[in-house]
Amino acid sequence: MLFHVRMDVSLPHGMDPNDRAELVRAEKERALELQKLGVWPHLWRVVGQYSNISVFDVPSNDELHAFLSSLPLWEYMRVQVTPLATHPSDLAAQP
C-alpha cells in the first residue's frame, strides 16, 4: 500500500544544541535505513519549513505506524497520512 505522509517537525526552542544535533543525526540514520529497506521510496523537503512530504510503501496501516513511530523525531512531529490508490488516468496504469 502506498501512503502520502507529511511530517512537520517542531523541536523545543530551549533544547540543548548537543541533544538536538544527536537527535537529528539519529533521525537521518533511521530515515536512510528505511529508504534502503524500500519502505520509504520518496522523500522531499518542504521549502522554507522543517517539514517533508514522503511516500511510504508498506503492507498495512499498522506497519506504517510502526515505521513512523520508530523515527527519533516522532515525539516532535505532527504527521498527516493519506492512503493512495492508482488513478485510472495514470499513464503507468494503462494496458
Side-chain angles (χ1 to χ4, degrees), residues 35-73:
Q35 290 174 72
K36 289 174 186 173
L37 288 172
V39 300
W40 195 343
H42 300 283
L43 171 60
W44 295 276
R45 177 184 308 245
V46 177
V47 176
Q49 299 176 30
Y50 197 172
S51 304
N52 74 70
I53 299 291
S54 297
V55 173
F56 280 78
D57 188 356
V58 295
S60 70
N61 295 328
D62 291 333
E63 287 192 52
L64 176 62
H65 184 79
F67 285 126
L68 292 173
S69 63
S70 76
L71 295 170
L73 288 174

